[in-house]
Amino acid sequence: MRCLMMATIAFSLCACDGNKFHVNGTIGDAKDSVLYFEHMSLDGPVVMDSVKLDQNGEFSFAGDGVAAPEFYRLRIASNIINVSIDSTETVSFKAKYPTMATDYEVEGSENCKKIKELSLLQIQLLGRSLAIDRNRSLGVEQVKDSINILMTQYKDYVRQNYIFKEPQKAYAYFALFQTLGNMLIFNPRESEDDIRTFAAVATSWDTYYPEAERGENLHNIAIEGLKVIRHNRVKMMGPAVDAAKVTVSNIIDVPLIDNKGRQRSLKELAGKVVLLDFHAFASEGSTKRIMMLRDLYNKFHAQGLEIYQVSVDPDEHFWKTQTAALPWINVHDPDALESQYLVRYNVQSIPTFFLIDKTNTLHKRDVQIKNLDDEIQSLLR
């Protein structure tokens, strides 16, 4: 009986431990230093645990498993290693003090490896910016312009290689909040492109982590940024301008040429409920899909529904013949399955659709909708 009881206790402990994540490793040359393990909450860092390191520098921390990516950090004084956790994994670090922030090894998490890459890129950006700022041969405007060029190049690189590549990942979220000094690199209060970058990650998090507080936070940041930009535009135009007449899109626009040779965009459809559909007419099941869309169009178009269908067919001529008799907006992306919009909207399979409300704000994507007719009717009211 005692053996059975001990076995039961051991099993219980293992089951409990299976719901936790672990962060461990060694930090050399840090004897008697206090290593803090902190949760990077939306309200700031919160100390979860700490340890006074011995000669070996070994440490081991644990926390409850997470349903959506969360962020933590290992810190000695002002030296920091950023950590992301997706669920219940074990992540191991090996570093030395005081170079731990830039010179460390990580195993067990691809996200943490990408975050290390981003941190090193950020440090390089800071170093190059400081070199420009200290160049006495440059005037104030030249310094400003040169740093702005560096920032633009950095943002373009990070967007394409980290954020848009896998927007649902923790490292994409991490990239949004990098800073240069005390200034956000991606600043949704100053740039519509940056707002759309935030929105792209928010859209992905809606799909993968629909109840995540961080996903909701991204949406709120993007919306607040739009309000600031809108206010600044009105202010620049002068008091005679009616703010209600200044329009700003809350979505990632898809400006493409339709089957009649006309440039179209989602922005022009503000005031309507829009079904944004990514489609390939050459794919199996296309005919059935078109019949479903035609039924929706016939039911709701007169009430204010528009369909904006994006073809990713490689054969443009084939697309034109297939859409000649369709009554809704049909556009074609010449990049086909390499389309940047598939990445920005985190389209994992074709076909995929999204609903956009009358304010030109992304509402939901197909996997979040149980009854499409009811969802459309609720937005048309």
Side-chain angles (χ1 to χ4, degrees), residues 209-220:
Y209 323 108
E211 303 299 324
E213 186 179 9
R214 290 186 183 276
E216 183 179 350
N217 184 53
L218 291 177
H219 280 295
N220 291 338

Side-chain angles (χ1 to χ4, degrees), residues 200-254:
V201 178
T203 300
S204 294
W205 280 54
D206 282 346
T207 302
Y208 287 87
Y209 323 108
E211 303 299 324
E213 186 179 9
R214 290 186 183 276
E216 183 179 350
N217 184 53
L218 291 177
H219 280 295
N220 291 338
I221 290 171
I223 291 168
E224 286 302 312
L226 284 165
K227 289 179 181 178
V228 171
I229 288 175
R230 177 172 177 167
H231 173 77
N232 291 340
R233 282 185 179 177
V234 172
K235 191 174 180 181
M236 289 174 63
M237 291 176 184
V241 177
D242 182 357
K245 295 179 180 178
V246 180
T247 59
V248 179
S249 176
N250 300 351
I251 55 170
I252 303 166
D253 201 9
V254 185

